[in-house]
Amino acid sequence: MAGLGWLVLALVFLDEVLAAVAAGVWGAHAGAVVLAVLAPVAVVAVWWAFASPKARWSGPVVRPVVKVLVFGFASAGLWVSGHHTAAVSLLVFSVVVNALAQLPSVRALVAEPVAP
């Protein structure tokens, strides 16, 4: 079962990378090379600050809200860029993978060790 849990965690990481790529696609579609570079950087910065496992400004409300916003905006960016199938696929993939990541057996794999 641990192998399946690690697969889910790898897919969660892939999902985060895909959100950054989607932001870059939107930036390129918007017509600016600067946006194509800065949009993924912004996604990574927001994720690092608010949604990553060791985020400095996170919490039980902030983390899920930021995740919904990041994946929602990434999917919307793909939709606006004309990649409708990719937008819907990313959104569905994000919901499924992040729901699976909430299973107790998966969460136990990344639980902080308790100090003796």
XYZ file of all heavy atoms in Angstrom:
839
model
N 0.821 -1.199 0.000
C 0.000 0.000 0.000
C 0.861 1.258 0.000
O 0.449 2.281 -0.518
C -0.929 -0.035 1.220
C -1.974 1.027 1.189
S -3.023 0.893 -0.237
C -4.531 1.512 0.377
N 2.061 1.168 0.601
C 2.941 2.336 0.642
C 3.360 2.746 -0.763
O 3.490 3.936 -1.050
C 4.166 2.058 1.505
N 3.558 1.768 -1.641
C 3.936 2.085 -3.021
C 2.880 2.918 -3.714
O 3.195 3.858 -4.446
N 1.618 2.577 -3.481
C 0.519 3.347 -4.071
C 0.490 4.765 -3.497
O 0.250 5.737 -4.218
C -0.817 2.644 -3.821
C -2.053 3.296 -4.420
C -1.922 3.394 -5.934
C -3.299 2.531 -4.041
N 0.772 4.873 -2.207
C 0.809 6.191 -1.579
C 1.897 7.066 -2.165
O 1.677 8.252 -2.428
N 3.076 6.492 -2.395
C 4.172 7.264 -2.986
C 3.854 7.637 -4.425
O 4.240 8.717 -4.891
C 5.494 6.516 -2.892
C 6.022 6.522 -1.498
C 6.117 5.471 -0.648
C 6.496 7.658 -0.766
N 6.624 5.881 0.561
C 6.863 7.213 0.521
C 6.637 9.006 -1.063
C 7.373 8.067 1.491
C 7.146 9.859 -0.090
C 7.506 9.392 1.166
N 3.123 6.773 -5.123
C 2.690 7.110 -6.486
C 1.749 8.316 -6.451
O 1.873 9.234 -7.267
C 2.000 5.916 -7.147
C 1.380 6.180 -8.518
C 2.448 6.585 -9.528
C 0.593 4.977 -8.989
N 0.838 8.323 -5.511
C -0.084 9.463 -5.369
C 0.699 10.741 -5.086
O 0.436 11.794 -5.681
C -1.135 9.198 -4.263
C -1.903 10.466 -3.926
C -2.086 8.090 -4.682
N 1.687 10.665 -4.209
C 2.483 11.850 -3.895
C 3.284 12.322 -5.109
O 3.436 13.528 -5.329
C 3.398 11.570 -2.708
C 2.673 11.363 -1.380
C 3.657 10.957 -0.293
C 1.891 12.596 -0.982
N 3.777 11.394 -5.905
C 4.480 11.773 -7.138
C 3.520 12.458 -8.104
O 3.885 13.437 -8.769
C 5.107 10.545 -7.790
N 2.289 11.970 -8.173
C 1.291 12.595 -9.046
C 0.889 13.982 -8.535
O 0.600 14.877 -9.326
C 0.067 11.689 -9.192
C 0.303 10.399 -9.977
C -0.940 9.510 -9.930
C 0.707 10.693 -11.411
N 0.885 14.163 -7.225
C 0.613 15.490 -6.655
C 1.711 16.456 -7.092
O 1.435 17.596 -7.484
C 0.508 15.422 -5.114
C 0.530 16.807 -4.496
C -0.757 14.685 -4.711
N 2.959 16.000 -7.034
C 4.065 16.856 -7.476
C 3.931 17.170 -8.970
O 4.105 18.322 -9.388
C 5.411 16.185 -7.194
C 6.575 16.983 -7.700
C 6.926 18.183 -7.098
C 7.309 16.554 -8.794
C 7.989 18.937 -7.574
C 8.373 17.293 -9.268
C 8.719 18.483 -8.658
N 3.599 16.166 -9.766
C 3.381 16.391 -11.206
C 2.276 17.419 -11.411
O 2.395 18.303 -12.277
C 3.024 15.076 -11.904
C 2.639 15.179 -13.372
C 3.821 15.671 -14.212
C 2.134 13.836 -13.885
N 1.231 17.342 -10.623
C 0.122 18.289 -10.720
C 0.593 19.720 -10.453
O 0.203 20.660 -11.146
C -0.962 17.887 -9.722
C -2.284 18.581 -9.946
O -2.590 18.930 -11.112
O -3.022 18.751 -8.968
N 1.468 19.875 -9.465
C 2.003 21.197 -9.155
C 2.858 21.731 -10.306
O 2.778 22.914 -10.654
C 2.828 21.121 -7.869
C 1.996 20.748 -6.657
C 2.812 20.229 -5.491
O 4.064 20.284 -5.558
O 2.203 19.774 -4.510
N 3.643 20.862 -10.910
C 4.465 21.265 -12.060
C 3.565 21.644 -13.235
O 3.811 22.645 -13.922
C 5.451 20.140 -12.453
C 6.147 20.444 -13.762
C 6.470 19.916 -11.333
N 2.511 20.861 -13.453
C 1.587 21.158 -14.551
C 0.887 22.503 -14.353
O 0.616 23.215 -15.328
C 0.548 20.045 -14.691
C 1.068 18.716 -15.232
C -0.030 17.652 -15.169
C 1.601 18.870 -16.641
N 0.614 22.871 -13.112
C 0.004 24.183 -12.850
C 0.955 25.301 -13.268
O 0.532 26.297 -13.873
C -0.367 24.315 -11.372
N 2.238 25.138 -12.980
C 3.219 26.154 -13.388
C 3.339 26.207 -14.904
O 3.416 27.293 -15.500
C 4.577 25.863 -12.746
N 3.341 25.044 -15.540
C 3.413 24.998 -17.012
C 2.180 25.665 -17.619
O 2.290 26.430 -18.589
C 3.556 23.545 -17.508
C 3.381 23.446 -19.009
C 4.902 22.973 -17.084
N 1.014 25.396 -17.050
C -0.222 26.009 -17.554
C -0.155 27.530 -17.442
O -0.619 28.247 -18.338
C -1.425 25.472 -16.785
N 0.429 28.017 -16.366
C 0.594 29.471 -16.217
C 1.500 30.016 -17.316
O 1.246 31.093 -17.873
C 1.161 29.805 -14.840
N 2.545 29.281 -17.654
C 3.435 29.693 -18.742
C 2.727 29.687 -20.083
O 2.948 30.577 -20.919
N 1.874 28.701 -20.304
C 1.098 28.644 -21.556
C 0.188 29.853 -21.657
O 0.096 30.495 -22.710
C 0.287 27.327 -21.634
C -0.726 27.367 -22.765
C 1.214 26.131 -21.781
N -0.471 30.187 -20.550
C -1.325 31.377 -20.563
C -0.497 32.629 -20.842
O -0.901 33.484 -21.631
C -2.060 31.534 -19.228
C -2.722 32.860 -19.149
C -3.914 33.220 -19.719
C -2.189 34.045 -18.540
N -4.158 34.557 -19.472
C -3.116 35.078 -18.754
C -1.035 34.327 -17.838
C -2.923 36.368 -18.281
C -0.827 35.613 -17.354
C -1.768 36.617 -17.575
N 0.671 32.740 -20.201
C 1.520 33.909 -20.411
C 1.955 34.044 -21.854
O 1.960 35.144 -22.416
N 2.306 32.925 -22.476
C 2.691 32.953 -23.891
C 1.503 33.344 -24.760
O 1.651 34.094 -25.732
C 3.247 31.599 -24.315
N 0.325 32.841 -24.405
C -0.877 33.169 -25.174
C -1.220 34.656 -25.045
O -1.687 35.274 -26.001
C -2.064 32.329 -24.701
C -3.360 32.730 -25.322
N -3.687 32.410 -26.618
C -4.406 33.439 -24.827
C -4.885 32.904 -26.894
N -5.339 33.529 -25.824
N -0.967 35.205 -23.872
C -1.244 36.624 -23.661
C -0.320 37.500 -24.494
O -0.544 38.698 -24.611
C -1.120 36.968 -22.174
N 0.701 36.887 -25.074
C 1.522 37.596 -26.043
C 2.802 38.198 -25.523
O 3.473 38.914 -26.249
N 3.157 37.896 -24.313
C 4.366 38.504 -23.789
C 5.312 37.426 -23.274
O 4.915 36.578 -22.496
C 4.020 39.464 -22.659
N 6.531 37.496 -23.739
C 7.549 36.563 -23.270
C 7.748 36.749 -21.765
O 7.949 35.784 -21.029
C 8.874 36.770 -24.035
C 9.982 35.928 -23.451
C 8.671 36.474 -25.507
N 7.651 37.985 -21.327
C 7.817 38.273 -19.903
C 6.749 37.537 -19.087
O 7.046 36.941 -18.052
C 7.759 39.792 -19.637
C 7.763 40.099 -18.163
C 8.904 40.492 -20.340
N 5.497 37.562 -19.558
C 4.429 36.845 -18.853
C 4.635 35.341 -18.902
O 4.306 34.642 -17.945
C 3.067 37.181 -19.467
C 2.363 38.410 -18.938
C 1.037 38.602 -19.662
C 2.136 38.323 -17.451
N 5.158 34.840 -20.002
C 5.407 33.404 -20.130
C 6.443 32.934 -19.119
O 6.444 31.776 -18.712
C 5.861 33.062 -21.546
N 7.304 33.826 -18.689
C 8.316 33.490 -17.686
C 7.820 33.824 -16.277
O 7.978 33.027 -15.346
C 9.641 34.230 -17.978
C 10.638 34.029 -16.861
C 10.215 33.775 -19.309
N 7.227 34.993 -16.109
C 6.833 35.441 -14.776
C 5.621 34.699 -14.205
O 5.545 34.514 -12.985
C 6.558 36.937 -14.775
C 7.786 37.833 -14.926
C 7.400 39.295 -14.867
C 8.818 37.518 -13.859
N 4.693 34.274 -15.044
C 3.503 33.578 -14.536
C 3.871 32.270 -13.833
O 3.404 32.033 -12.702
C 2.498 33.344 -15.659
N 4.718 31.413 -14.424
C 5.109 30.202 -13.688
C 5.912 30.522 -12.419
O 5.765 29.847 -11.399
C 5.969 29.412 -14.673
C 5.692 29.978 -16.000
C 5.226 31.375 -15.793
N 6.744 31.552 -12.477
C 7.507 31.948 -11.290
C 6.546 32.388 -10.188
O 6.732 32.045 -9.010
C 8.526 33.059 -11.633
C 9.146 33.644 -10.375
C 9.593 32.513 -12.566
N 5.508 33.107 -10.545
C 4.514 33.539 -9.561
C 3.784 32.343 -8.958
O 3.555 32.291 -7.739
C 3.515 34.502 -10.202
N 3.435 31.368 -9.787
C 2.767 30.162 -9.284
C 3.664 29.439 -8.287
O 3.228 29.044 -7.205
C 2.363 29.227 -10.445
C 1.968 27.845 -9.934
C 1.225 29.835 -11.244
N 4.924 29.272 -8.641
C 5.862 28.581 -7.750
C 6.044 29.362 -6.450
O 6.070 28.784 -5.357
C 7.217 28.342 -8.459
C 8.270 27.845 -7.486
C 7.034 27.357 -9.609
N 6.142 30.672 -6.541
C 6.326 31.498 -5.338
C 5.109 31.423 -4.415
O 5.253 31.279 -3.192
C 6.601 32.946 -5.745
N 3.926 31.505 -4.988
C 2.702 31.416 -4.182
C 2.601 30.030 -3.550
O 2.265 29.894 -2.362
C 1.458 31.732 -5.051
C 0.175 31.330 -4.351
C 1.435 33.206 -5.413
N 2.917 28.999 -4.329
C 2.859 27.631 -3.805
C 3.859 27.470 -2.658
O 3.529 26.907 -1.621
C 3.149 26.633 -4.918
C 2.737 25.260 -4.521
C 3.494 24.304 -3.898
C 1.450 24.691 -4.679
N 2.751 23.185 -3.662
C 1.494 23.398 -4.139
C 0.258 25.167 -5.245
C 0.387 22.555 -4.137
C -0.829 24.320 -5.240
C -0.764 23.027 -4.696
N 5.064 27.950 -2.856
C 6.107 27.832 -1.835
C 5.697 28.549 -0.549
O 5.898 28.026 0.548
C 7.416 28.416 -2.376
C 8.478 28.556 -1.335
C 9.296 27.577 -0.854
C 8.821 29.747 -0.626
N 10.127 28.095 0.104
C 9.858 29.428 0.268
C 8.360 31.064 -0.671
C 10.443 30.370 1.111
C 8.933 31.993 0.172
C 9.962 31.644 1.044
N 5.114 29.725 -0.693
C 4.788 30.537 0.476
C 3.540 30.069 1.222
O 3.473 30.197 2.447
C 4.609 31.997 0.055
N 2.554 29.516 0.505
C 1.270 29.244 1.125
C 0.787 27.800 1.065
O -0.054 27.408 1.882
C 0.184 30.129 0.489
C 0.449 31.588 0.630
C 0.903 32.322 -0.447
C 0.253 32.233 1.841
C 1.152 33.677 -0.327
C 0.501 33.588 1.972
C 0.949 34.316 0.894
N 1.241 26.985 0.115
C 0.628 25.668 -0.078
C 1.579 24.491 0.053
O 1.128 23.358 0.134
C -0.060 25.613 -1.446
N 2.870 24.734 0.058
C 3.808 23.613 0.158
C 3.752 23.022 1.567
O 3.285 23.673 2.506
C 5.222 24.078 -0.169
O 5.730 24.878 0.863
N 4.230 21.792 1.727
C 4.186 21.171 3.058
C 4.915 21.979 4.138
O 4.531 21.939 5.294
C 4.872 19.820 2.844
C 4.659 19.520 1.405
C 4.689 20.851 0.710
N 5.950 22.708 3.766
C 6.684 23.514 4.748
C 6.481 25.012 4.509
O 7.369 25.821 4.781
C 8.167 23.159 4.697
C 8.427 21.737 5.148
C 9.885 21.428 5.202
C 10.072 19.993 5.662
N 11.462 19.658 5.871
N 5.322 25.371 4.019
C 5.024 26.774 3.719
C 5.084 27.619 4.978
O 4.625 27.213 6.047
C 3.644 26.887 3.087
N 5.643 28.790 4.827
C 5.799 29.695 5.970
C 4.462 30.279 6.417
O 4.212 30.437 7.601
C 6.756 30.811 5.582
C 7.065 31.713 6.714
C 8.143 32.689 6.370
N 8.598 33.291 7.608
C 9.799 33.742 7.795
N 10.675 33.662 6.847
N 10.133 34.284 8.926
N 3.611 30.616 5.471
C 2.323 31.241 5.783
C 1.192 30.325 5.353
O 0.477 30.604 4.393
C 2.204 32.588 5.092
C 3.291 33.512 5.487
C 3.417 34.172 6.673
C 4.438 33.879 4.716
N 4.555 34.919 6.689
C 5.207 34.760 5.498
C 4.905 33.533 3.448
C 6.397 35.307 5.059
C 6.094 34.082 3.008
C 6.826 34.958 3.804
N 1.057 29.242 6.043
C 0.047 28.261 5.692
C -0.830 27.973 6.899
O -0.565 28.457 8.001
C 0.721 26.976 5.208
O -0.254 26.068 4.770
N -1.840 27.198 6.679
C -2.723 26.809 7.767
C -3.828 25.937 7.230
O -3.915 25.688 6.030
N -4.704 25.481 8.099
C -5.768 24.575 7.678
C -6.794 25.216 6.743
O -7.524 24.510 6.046
C -6.413 24.130 8.982
C -6.020 25.155 9.988
C -4.713 25.724 9.534
N -6.823 26.526 6.693
C -7.731 27.216 5.766
C -6.953 27.757 4.569
O -7.378 27.604 3.423
C -8.491 28.359 6.479
C -9.314 29.155 5.492
C -9.358 27.804 7.595
N -5.804 28.348 4.843
C -5.021 29.001 3.786
C -4.569 27.998 2.719
O -4.724 28.245 1.526
C -3.802 29.737 4.384
C -2.886 30.264 3.294
C -4.263 30.852 5.289
N -4.006 26.874 3.146
C -3.463 25.905 2.187
C -4.517 25.417 1.181
O -4.291 25.487 -0.020
C -2.826 24.721 2.912
C -2.269 23.685 1.934
C -1.551 22.561 2.630
N -0.266 23.064 3.084
C 0.312 22.729 4.213
N -0.268 21.882 5.024
N 1.483 23.224 4.532
N -5.688 24.936 1.635
C -6.670 24.474 0.647
C -7.200 25.593 -0.252
O -7.436 25.369 -1.443
C -7.799 23.869 1.473
C -7.355 23.856 2.875
C -6.089 24.627 2.996
N -7.352 26.783 0.312
C -7.842 27.907 -0.499
C -6.828 28.243 -1.595
O -7.191 28.442 -2.755
C -8.150 29.137 0.377
C -8.376 30.376 -0.466
C -9.361 28.865 1.257
N -5.555 28.284 -1.246
C -4.516 28.585 -2.231
C -4.449 27.492 -3.290
O -4.316 27.783 -4.486
C -3.148 28.796 -1.549
C -2.023 28.841 -2.561
C -3.175 30.069 -0.725
N -4.586 26.237 -2.880
C -4.572 25.143 -3.858
C -5.717 25.282 -4.851
O -5.525 25.138 -6.059
C -4.645 23.789 -3.149
C -3.365 23.398 -2.477
C -3.484 22.012 -1.869
C -2.170 21.568 -1.278
N -2.194 20.158 -0.886
N -6.905 25.578 -4.347
C -8.062 25.750 -5.237
C -7.817 26.920 -6.194
O -8.089 26.814 -7.402
C -9.357 25.965 -4.418
C -10.493 26.461 -5.297
C -9.750 24.666 -3.715
N -7.289 28.014 -5.683
C -7.029 29.181 -6.534
C -5.964 28.877 -7.588
O -6.134 29.225 -8.764
C -6.604 30.383 -5.689
C -7.687 30.997 -4.816
C -7.100 32.074 -3.911
C -8.811 31.556 -5.664
N -4.873 28.236 -7.188
C -3.790 27.943 -8.145
C -4.285 27.022 -9.246
O -4.102 27.297 -10.438
C -2.564 27.341 -7.423
C -1.591 26.731 -8.418
C -1.862 28.406 -6.600
N -4.913 25.903 -8.872
C -5.366 24.960 -9.897
C -6.534 25.524 -10.702
O -6.659 25.253 -11.904
C -5.726 23.614 -9.272
C -4.531 22.889 -8.716
C -4.495 22.503 -7.395
C -3.433 22.616 -9.509
C -3.389 21.849 -6.881
C -2.320 21.964 -9.003
C -2.306 21.579 -7.680
N -7.383 26.323 -10.055
C -8.485 26.954 -10.779
C -7.985 27.956 -11.804
O -8.415 27.948 -12.964
N -7.045 28.827 -11.385
C -6.498 29.809 -12.324
C -5.667 29.143 -13.419
O -5.681 29.587 -14.565
C -5.675 30.867 -11.597
C -6.497 31.895 -10.887
C -6.205 32.256 -9.579
C -7.566 32.516 -11.515
C -6.959 33.208 -8.914
C -8.335 33.470 -10.862
C -8.030 33.817 -9.561
N -4.946 28.088 -13.082
C -4.155 27.376 -14.095
C -5.083 26.769 -15.149
O -4.829 26.874 -16.355
C -3.306 26.293 -13.444
N -6.165 26.163 -14.698
C -7.132 25.589 -15.634
C -7.821 26.673 -16.449
O -8.022 26.525 -17.662
C -8.171 24.758 -14.882
O -7.557 23.676 -14.232
N -8.162 27.769 -15.802
C -8.789 28.888 -16.517
C -7.832 29.470 -17.554
O -8.251 29.837 -18.661
C -9.222 29.970 -15.532
N -6.555 29.547 -17.213
C -5.568 30.048 -18.163
C -5.465 29.166 -19.391
O -5.353 29.658 -20.519
N -5.505 27.855 -19.185
C -5.501 26.944 -20.337
C -6.766 27.120 -21.165
O -6.718 27.094 -22.405
C -5.381 25.487 -19.868
C -4.013 25.051 -19.372
C -4.082 23.636 -18.800
C -2.982 25.119 -20.483
N -7.898 27.292 -20.498
C -9.178 27.458 -21.211
C -9.135 28.722 -22.073
O -9.491 28.697 -23.247
C -10.319 27.533 -20.210
C -11.661 27.583 -20.872
C -12.331 28.689 -21.303
C -12.481 26.467 -21.200
N -13.516 28.335 -21.867
C -13.638 26.972 -21.824
C -12.356 25.099 -21.025
C -14.657 26.148 -22.265
C -13.375 24.274 -21.460
C -14.507 24.804 -22.083
N -8.683 29.825 -21.488
C -8.608 31.101 -22.203
C -7.626 30.999 -23.369
O -7.817 31.638 -24.402
C -8.196 32.231 -21.234
C -7.838 33.506 -21.964
C -9.298 32.484 -20.232
N -6.593 30.182 -23.203
C -5.590 30.006 -24.258
C -6.080 29.114 -25.388
O -5.367 28.906 -26.363
C -4.316 29.398 -23.663
O -3.802 30.230 -22.660
N -7.289 28.577 -25.246
C -7.855 27.744 -26.303
C -7.585 26.256 -26.128
O -7.936 25.454 -26.996
N -7.002 25.862 -25.012
C -6.710 24.452 -24.741
C -7.791 23.891 -23.817
O -7.532 23.564 -22.658
C -5.320 24.316 -24.116
C -4.227 24.868 -24.950
N -3.768 24.234 -26.081
C -3.510 26.003 -24.833
C -2.795 24.948 -26.614
N -2.631 26.041 -25.882
N -9.007 23.758 -24.360
C -10.153 23.388 -23.542
C -10.035 21.995 -22.949
O -10.333 21.796 -21.763
C -11.442 23.531 -24.346
C -11.644 24.921 -24.846
N -12.093 25.193 -26.111
C -11.433 26.122 -24.264
C -12.161 26.509 -26.282
N -11.762 27.084 -25.169
N -9.610 21.038 -23.736
C -9.478 19.668 -23.230
C -8.413 19.602 -22.139
O -8.610 18.956 -21.102
C -9.122 18.696 -24.376
O -10.138 18.790 -25.385
C -9.031 17.271 -23.876
N -7.303 20.271 -22.346
C -6.240 20.285 -21.338
C -6.717 20.975 -20.066
O -6.368 20.548 -18.958
C -4.999 20.978 -21.888
N -7.511 22.023 -20.202
C -8.014 22.753 -19.034
C -8.902 21.854 -18.175
O -8.723 21.776 -16.951
C -8.785 23.994 -19.475
N -9.835 21.184 -18.809
C -10.744 20.296 -18.071
C -9.966 19.118 -17.497
O -10.173 18.719 -16.344
C -11.908 19.828 -18.971
C -12.750 18.776 -18.272
C -12.760 21.015 -19.390
N -9.037 18.582 -18.276
C -8.227 17.451 -17.804
C -7.401 17.837 -16.589
O -7.313 17.071 -15.615
C -7.305 16.951 -18.917
O -8.048 16.498 -20.020
N -6.776 19.006 -16.621
C -5.978 19.454 -15.485
C -6.853 19.625 -14.254
O -6.474 19.209 -13.153
C -5.258 20.770 -15.800
C -4.451 21.368 -14.634
C -3.324 20.431 -14.214
C -3.900 22.736 -15.018
N -8.014 20.208 -14.429
C -8.901 20.427 -13.294
C -9.354 19.108 -12.676
O -9.295 18.924 -11.458
C -10.104 21.269 -13.718
C -10.970 21.811 -12.600
C -10.158 22.686 -11.651
C -12.126 22.604 -13.178
N -9.767 18.165 -13.509
C -10.211 16.861 -13.005
C -9.050 16.122 -12.348
O -9.181 15.566 -11.250
C -10.838 16.018 -14.141
C -11.067 14.583 -13.706
C -12.134 16.653 -14.613
N -7.893 16.121 -12.999
C -6.700 15.463 -12.450
C -6.345 16.065 -11.093
O -6.051 15.339 -10.137
C -5.544 15.610 -13.435
C -4.250 14.992 -12.977
C -4.111 13.617 -12.900
C -3.178 15.786 -12.632
C -2.919 13.036 -12.485
C -1.983 15.225 -12.219
C -1.859 13.843 -12.137
N -6.396 17.384 -10.983
C -6.056 18.061 -9.735
C -7.002 17.659 -8.606
O -6.557 17.377 -7.488
C -6.106 19.579 -9.917
O -5.172 19.989 -10.879
N -8.269 17.628 -8.898
C -9.257 17.265 -7.866
C -9.048 15.824 -7.419
O -8.999 15.529 -6.216
C -10.698 17.487 -8.385
C -11.720 16.865 -7.451
C -10.980 18.966 -8.572
N -8.889 14.911 -8.364
C -8.751 13.490 -8.026
C -7.470 13.233 -7.245
O -7.476 12.583 -6.198
C -8.818 12.621 -9.302
C -8.425 11.181 -9.007
C -10.205 12.683 -9.915
N -6.353 13.748 -7.739
C -5.065 13.479 -7.096
C -5.001 14.112 -5.709
O -4.524 13.479 -4.759
C -3.915 13.976 -7.996
C -2.616 14.018 -7.255
C -3.792 13.081 -9.203
N -5.495 15.321 -5.574
C -5.453 15.959 -4.260
C -6.435 15.323 -3.287
O -6.186 15.299 -2.079
C -5.666 17.464 -4.388
C -4.418 18.152 -4.868
O -3.467 18.301 -4.115
N -4.384 18.538 -6.129
N -7.531 14.777 -3.785
C -8.447 14.022 -2.915
C -7.785 12.736 -2.438
O -7.868 12.384 -1.257
C -9.744 13.720 -3.651
N -7.105 12.038 -3.346
C -6.392 10.817 -2.954
C -5.289 11.109 -1.949
O -5.007 10.301 -1.067
C -5.812 10.117 -4.187
C -6.806 9.452 -5.123
C -6.107 8.958 -6.376
C -7.525 8.310 -4.420
N -4.665 12.262 -2.070
C -3.591 12.636 -1.155
C -4.096 12.863 0.268
O -3.302 12.874 1.209
C -2.878 13.883 -1.660
N -5.394 13.025 0.437
C -5.962 13.227 1.767
C -6.262 11.920 2.487
O -6.625 11.928 3.667
C -7.238 14.076 1.673
C -7.011 15.455 1.120
C -5.912 16.196 1.850
O -5.901 16.283 3.067
N -4.955 16.720 1.096
N -6.098 10.787 1.812
C -6.324 9.491 2.466
C -5.323 9.330 3.613
O -4.149 9.697 3.483
C -6.159 8.357 1.463
C -7.204 8.274 0.348
C -6.819 7.210 -0.667
C -8.572 7.977 0.936
N -5.769 8.786 4.725
C -4.874 8.633 5.880
C -3.591 7.858 5.567
O -2.519 8.205 6.059
C -5.736 7.882 6.903
C -7.136 8.200 6.524
C -7.125 8.366 5.032
N -3.674 6.837 4.733
C -2.477 6.052 4.413
C -1.466 6.862 3.609
O -0.257 6.641 3.728
C -2.867 4.786 3.647
O -3.535 5.118 2.448
N -1.928 7.803 2.815
C -1.021 8.657 2.046
C -0.467 9.758 2.946
O 0.732 10.052 2.925
C -1.726 9.247 0.807
C -0.806 10.199 0.061
C -2.221 8.135 -0.107
N -1.323 10.354 3.738
C -0.884 11.426 4.634
C 0.150 10.932 5.645
O 1.039 11.676 6.043
C -2.081 12.036 5.361
C -2.991 12.822 4.418
C -4.182 13.350 5.170
N -3.742 14.260 6.213
C -4.039 15.544 6.259
N -4.783 16.058 5.321
N -3.607 16.299 7.230
N 0.034 9.680 6.039
C 0.974 9.101 7.013
C 2.383 9.031 6.440
O 3.364 9.053 7.193
C 0.504 7.720 7.438
N 2.516 8.974 5.131
C 3.848 8.889 4.505
C 4.639 10.174 4.669
O 5.862 10.144 4.665
C 3.708 8.550 3.017
C 3.166 7.164 2.692
C 2.919 7.047 1.200
C 4.106 6.084 3.182
N 3.957 11.296 4.796
C 4.640 12.588 4.891
C 4.448 13.254 6.244
O 4.757 14.429 6.414
C 4.188 13.551 3.768
C 4.638 13.050 2.432
C 2.690 13.750 3.804
N 3.950 12.506 7.222
C 3.729 13.063 8.549
C 5.067 13.430 9.184
O 6.070 12.754 8.989
C 2.995 12.062 9.427
N 5.070 14.530 9.902
C 6.270 14.979 10.609
C 6.593 13.984 11.722
O 5.713 13.591 12.474
C 6.044 16.373 11.206
C 5.889 17.455 10.181
C 7.195 17.764 9.460
O 8.252 17.686 10.087
O 7.116 18.080 8.269
N 7.854 13.579 11.829
C 8.217 12.675 12.927
C 8.078 13.390 14.277
O 8.375 14.573 14.389
C 9.665 12.301 12.643
C 10.161 13.328 11.689
C 8.974 13.903 10.976
N 7.609 12.663 15.246
C 7.419 13.219 16.585
C 8.741 13.136 17.336
O 9.396 12.092 17.359
C 6.324 12.433 17.343
C 6.156 12.982 18.751
C 5.023 12.484 16.572
N 9.148 14.244 17.918
C 10.420 14.282 18.663
C 10.287 13.467 19.944
O 9.239 13.513 20.611
C 10.785 15.724 18.989
N 11.334 12.733 20.321
C 11.260 11.922 21.545
C 11.265 12.749 22.806
O 11.598 13.826 22.909
C 12.504 11.043 21.474
C 13.391 11.642 20.450
C 12.560 12.571 19.612
